[in-house]
């Protein structure tokens, strides 16, 4: 497993990409779905805060096998949630 520092940086990078794409969507389509795009940005920030909190506070601190599985599950959850945010944004900007 990569270090926790790298995992946190990955979380920050992916969330910043979602936010960047959301602002790009707002610039390209200023009058279209503004409130929905802003809600996606807010959701991205909430996802980031939740994931960072989960990285900092694992369930079983003393069992290395469970820790490894915990962080693998967290990484999968991170990709799923970020992908869902990108999909929502993509659906909004298509119309």
């Amino acid at each position: 497993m990569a270090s926790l520092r790298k995992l946190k940086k990955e979380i920050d990078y992916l969330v910043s990409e979602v936010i960047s794409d959301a602002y790009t969507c707002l610039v390209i389509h200023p009058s279209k779905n503004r409130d929905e795009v802003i809600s996606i940005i807010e959701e991205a920030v909430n996802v980031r805060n939740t994931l960072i909190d989960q990285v900092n506070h694992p369930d079983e601190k003393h069992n290395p096998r469970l820790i490894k599985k915990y962080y693998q599950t967290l990484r999968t959850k991170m990709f799923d949630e970020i992908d869902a945010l990108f999909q929502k944004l993509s659906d909004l900007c298509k119309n």
Side-chain angles (χ1 to χ4, degrees):
M1 154 109 205
S3 71
L4 297 181
R5 182 177 180 196
K6 287 183 182 180
L7 181 59
K8 290 177 189 178
K9 285 185 178 188
E10 285 179 14
I11 293 168
D12 284 337
Y13 173 75
L14 290 172
V15 169
S16 69
E17 286 298 312
V18 171
I19 293 171
S20 173
D21 286 355
Y23 280 122
T24 302
C25 179
L26 284 175
V27 168
I28 293 173
H29 308 287
S31 63
K32 185 178 178 184
N33 300 324
R34 180 175 173 81
D35 294 334
E36 289 89 357
V37 173
I38 290 175
S39 72
I40 289 174
I41 292 171
E42 291 171 352
E43 188 177 347
V45 171
N46 289 336
V47 165
R48 183 241 178 240
N49 291 340
T50 302
L51 288 172
I52 293 293
D53 186 53
Q54 290 174 351
V55 168
N56 288 332
H57 302 98
D59 290 337
E60 291 288 329
K61 295 179 184 179
H62 305 293
N63 191 341
R65 237 184 282 157
L66 291 178
I67 287 289
K68 186 174 182 179
K69 186 169 179 89
Y70 175 79
Y71 285 117
Q72 287 172 347
T73 305
L74 187 64
R75 184 175 290 273
T76 304
K77 179 181 174 184
M78 171 187 68
F79 287 127
D80 291 342
E81 290 185 6
I82 296 297
D83 187 48
L85 290 171
F86 274 123
Q87 189 61 43
K88 282 182 185 178
L89 188 60
S90 176
D91 291 343
L92 279 176
C93 291
K94 276 183 192 175
N95 299 330

